[in-house]
Structures are given as structure tokens and as C-alpha cells.
Amino acid sequence: MNNLKLNNKNLQVSEWKNEIQDSSSLHLLQERLDLAEKNQEKQFADFSDVEMIQWFLYRKEHLDRQHNKSMRTIKEYERELTQFVEQLVQYSQEIDIDMDYIIEGSLFKSLSPRHIRRYQEWLAERSPYVQKKGTYSSATLARKTTIIKNFLEFMYEVEYVQETLHKGLLTATVRKDDRPNRDLGPQEVIQLLDYFRRINHPVAFAMVHILTTTGLRNEEFCKLKVGDLQYDSISGGHYLNVLGKGNKRRQIPLRKKSVKSIHLFRNTRGLEDLSDAKKESPLITTNTGKAYSPSYLSQYLTKSIKESNLPFLLNRSSPVGPHTFRHAFAIISHISKVDVYQIMRSLGHEKIETTMIYLEKLFEKERHAIHAWKPEVFGEYI
């Protein structure tokens, strides 16, 4: 297995990455598909395994390109699928990929549902990651399973593979109790803001304040440009023009104190006044004047919060980072009697189920039977 001739190109799996990442040849793949259709041939008959991944990642599914996969999603899928192939080849003996021969030089065409089942079991129970760091979280296994399943289903639907490989996968779901604790209420946010104000840490203060009052995603926050902060002549206030997940834009109104926090941040960093700054320059920057990366922002803010040693942090099952304040936005909105569909739209969620996950523990507490007990039933002890 380690020396397979994959699609007659003698490619090592490590060399797949460069070819997969090259979306410039997409139009050539489309021309080949069009020619196959014209000649009434199977469209993907002469595609290689690498080209199947490439087409799956970069193909256009919507006329409006804003509805196609975002680059972030493409990179996530690319990483998982490349790792999937690398592991199948590198650990074929441990996984028990028992093939008698390779069909048409293709790894994917040679696989069977039993191989996919064995791979999933190996990944969850015996893979190098598990041996070194312990079991994957339920959320990580669910994400990996979803991406692999989508790709395997795609190959079957377009008749590149003849077997229903995706049926070898067991369902991987995330139970409520498996999710990290990202709940954060208004009093906890206030404690953090008070702490950062008290120790004179305006950068962390502004970050927490802006993230909480906008509900921005980590990546959205990092990508903010000066030109995204705009004045609303109708309301007389400011808003952020945000490009969110799935390349969807939404306008986020800012409270006056949120605008003040933006100015506080920029003044602390020694940045130009907003009226003088270039519209394409980052709104929020590191101390070197560059935009934060999502990973660095998470690392920076999580560390700053952990160092506060506030009592409410001690018993949490997961650290407080940028995404936690998105949950805080949802929780504070709900406590303020905002309709859940309005919260969903404000957060940029496509499905109400996602918003409900943010609020499910709060709902569970609110709907507990104890709240309906009456004094006349249990007397002075309630």
C-alpha cells in the first residue's frame, strides 16, 4: 500500500497537497466534464483521485459565488481529506486495508465499506493522536466524519466509485454533555471588564467588550477593516459591515460604548485616528500593527483571561476565549427578552438549531419544575 501507483501518476501522497491546492486548473476540469457529457461518456471516468478531491473542494455549486464554500471551509475540508488519504496509505496494515489489487490505479475505487469502517474505528481508538494525546473530542470526531462522508457520498453520486463507501461510517454525533462549557452570563463578563479596567489592560478590556456586544466570530473580528466601521445617518449611530461565514454580509449596530472601546483599543496601540487611516487597513491590530490571526487572537485573549484567576474560572471545564463571548451575546440577549429568531439573525446563524445549542443549558434551567412550586404546597421551605 505504501508504494501504490495512484492513478498512474506515481504520486506520493505528500505531493497531492500542491496539486489539490491549485484551483487554477478548475476550468480545465470543467472542459473535460463538458466534453465527456457531449460524447455521452461518464463524466468523471478519466479523473484521478487527486482531481476528484480538487473538484469536490473548488467546484461551483451556486451562481452567486457568495453562496459557494468559503476559503476557510475549503481549507478545513482540504486538511481533513488529505489527512484521511495519508492515514489510509501510511497506516494501511494497522487499519487492515486488505486489498487484493488496485482498481484502475485508484485508491478510492479500490476501497470497500469495510475499509472505511475499519479506518473510522482506528482513527477513534488507535491512531497516533489517540495514543499520544488521548481520545478525540466528540465534536472533532463528528466534524471529521461529516467531511469524509460528504466526500464519499459525492464520489458515489457522480459514479466515480461503484460502492457506497459512506455507508461504512458509523454516525458520530455530539451530545449536549460532550460539548465544552462556553456559557458566560452578564455578571461574569462584567467581572472580566472590571478586572481589566482595574489592572489597566485596555487591549483585553476592549476585546472582551467589543466581542460581547457584537457577537462576532473570532475570524470576523480579526478580518475587520477600518472601512467596515460605518456611520448610519438614519439612526445616528455606527455599525460594522461584516463579511461572515459563507461569505454572507450582515450589519451589526454598535452601542456608543462599543465605539468608544474601538477608539480605546486603537489609541492604546498607537494607531492612526480612524478619520486618517486607510479604509483597507486592519481595524484591530497586534502591537506590530498587523491584523490578528484567529489562532493568535484566541491564544492572546485566553491567556489574558486565565491570568485573571477570577473565581468563576476555576470550575469551568474549558477556558474562556473569543468564541465564549459569542455565547455571552446570545445569553445576554435572551435574558433581555430578545426573540430567539432575532438572536439567530444577529449572530449570522443559518439554522435556529445552532442558536438553540447556545442557549440549551439556559433553557433547561429556566424550564425546571422547581420554578413552578408554590408556597401553599411546600410552605416556608421554598
Side-chain angles (χ1 to χ4, degrees):
M1 277 292 295
N2 289 329
N3 296 312
L4 285 179
K5 291 185 178 181
L6 302 176
N7 290 86
N8 300 318
K9 293 188 177 183
N10 294 314
L11 286 177
Q12 294 296 320
V13 176
S14 60
E15 295 177 327
W16 286 33
K17 296 179 183 179
N18 291 334
E19 188 168 349
I20 289 170
Q21 292 170 358
D22 182 15
S23 60
S24 63
S25 61
L26 202 66
H27 69 286
L28 298 176
L29 298 181
Q30 182 65 70
E31 289 176 2
R32 286 164 56 189
L33 290 173
D34 291 345
L35 182 61
E37 180 183 321
K38 179 180 178 181
N39 295 333
Q40 296 184 335
E41 299 170 345
K42 286 189 176 182
Q43 284 190 290
F44 294 91
D46 68 339
F47 270 50
S48 68
D49 287 355
V50 179
E51 288 166 341
M52 289 303 297
I53 297 178
Q54 190 180 29
W55 182 257
F56 174 74
L57 292 173
Y58 290 99
R59 74 194 191 281
K60 295 180 180 179
E61 299 178 84
H62 297 273
L63 185 60
D64 185 346
R65 63 182 181 181
Q66 289 190 356
H67 294 290
N68 288 309
K69 293 189 190 77
S70 68
M71 188 53 62
R72 177 186 178 185
T73 299
I74 289 173
K75 290 301 179 186
E76 181 182 7
Y77 271 53
E78 176 194 308
R79 182 177 65 252
E80 294 296 346
L81 291 176
T82 302
Q83 187 181 75
F84 168 59
V85 175
E86 286 177 329
Q87 291 175 335
L88 280 174
V89 174
Q90 185 175 353
Y91 301 101
S92 58
Q93 291 185 344
E94 292 95 323
I95 299 170
D96 192 15
I97 306 296
D98 55 341
M99 295 178 183
D100 294 327
Y101 56 91
I102 302 301
I103 299 174
E104 299 175 14
S106 164
L107 172 64
F108 297 145
K109 292 179 181 179
S110 307
L111 292 170
S112 296
R114 71 179 183 279
H115 299 137
I116 303 302
R117 174 179 55 78
R118 291 170 185 171
Y119 168 78
Q120 189 186 35
E121 291 172 349
W122 170 86
L123 179 69
E125 299 170 7
R126 307 186 307 281
S127 62
Y129 178 93
V130 172
Q131 294 178 25
K132 185 176 180 180
K133 297 186 178 181
T135 57
Y136 284 105
S137 69
S138 297
T140 299
L141 282 176
R143 186 190 74 246
K144 288 176 176 291
T145 299
T146 297
I147 292 173
I148 293 170
K149 184 176 182 180
N150 286 346
F151 176 61
L152 297 180
E153 282 184 320
F154 164 74
M155 289 198 296
Y156 179 72
E157 287 170 1
V158 300
E159 298 182 340
Y160 182 74
V161 298
Q162 300 304 309
E163 295 209 52
T164 53
L165 300 178
H166 56 280
K167 291 188 176 180
L169 291 168
L170 298 175
T171 301
T173 56
V174 184
R175 299 178 305 166
K176 178 185 66 176
D177 294 339
D178 293 330
R179 296 191 184 101
N181 176 23
R182 293 198 174 109
D183 287 358
L184 202 67
Q187 294 307 313
E188 295 162 323
V189 177
I190 290 170
Q191 287 180 51
L192 282 170
L193 292 172
D194 286 345
Y195 167 78
F196 288 126
R197 177 180 284 165
R198 186 171 66 253
I199 67 167
N200 192 26
H201 196 331
V203 169
F205 175 93
M207 284 179 172
V208 170
H209 191 228
I210 297 166
L211 286 166
T212 302
T213 56
T214 60
L216 285 168
R217 295 180 175 93
N218 185 342
E219 187 173 10
E220 293 170 346
F221 183 83
C222 294
K223 286 184 175 180
L224 287 174
K225 307 290 185 185
V226 169
D228 294 329
L229 177 60
Q230 300 182 11
Y231 180 74
D232 188 343
S233 58
I234 298 175
S235 68
H238 288 81
Y239 67 91
L240 291 171
N241 190 28
V242 176
L243 181 63
K245 198 172 182 179
N247 293 318
K248 293 184 177 179
R249 288 202 173 272
R250 68 185 192 281
Q251 295 180 341
I252 301 178
L254 294 172
R255 307 294 287 246
K256 288 183 179 179
K257 290 189 176 180
S258 300
V259 178
K260 187 176 179 181
S261 285
I262 293 174
H263 286 289
L264 172 67
F265 185 99
R266 291 183 63 85
N267 289 339
T268 304
R269 287 290 195 222
L271 299 170
E272 291 178 295
D273 188 89
L274 287 169
S275 59
D276 299 323
K278 294 180 180 178
K279 299 298 183 185
E280 289 303 308
S281 62
L283 182 65
I284 305 295
T285 75
T286 65
N287 58 4
T288 62
K290 296 181 180 179
Y292 278 91
S293 68
S295 60
Y296 181 48
L297 175 69
S298 180
Q299 177 186 346
Y300 176 87
L301 189 55
T302 301
K303 182 175 182 289
S304 299
I305 291 170
K306 183 178 180 181
E307 289 174 349
S308 73
N309 290 318
L310 289 170
F312 78 85
L313 296 170
L314 300 179
N315 296 320
R316 292 182 66 88
S317 59
S318 58
V320 173
H323 188 73
T324 316
F325 299 103
R326 189 163 157 82
H327 284 248
F329 176 91
I331 289 169
I332 294 170
S333 297
H334 175 72
I335 293 173
S336 302
K337 308 299 182 185
V338 179
D339 178 76
V340 68
Y341 284 95
Q342 192 174 341
I343 299 173
M344 177 191 78
R345 289 188 288 271
S346 298
L347 289 170
H349 286 158
E350 287 195 359
K351 298 179 180 180
I352 192 64
E353 290 81 6
T354 307
T355 312
M356 297 296 281
I357 289 172
Y358 281 39
L359 298 169
E360 63 182 348
K361 292 178 182 176
L362 187 62
F363 286 151
E364 188 174 297
K365 293 174 185 175
E366 290 178 342
R367 294 167 181 166
H368 197 281
I370 192 68
H371 298 307
W373 285 23
K374 303 183 185 308
E376 58 266 30
V377 177
F378 201 57
E380 62 180 297
Y381 295 102
I382 63 169

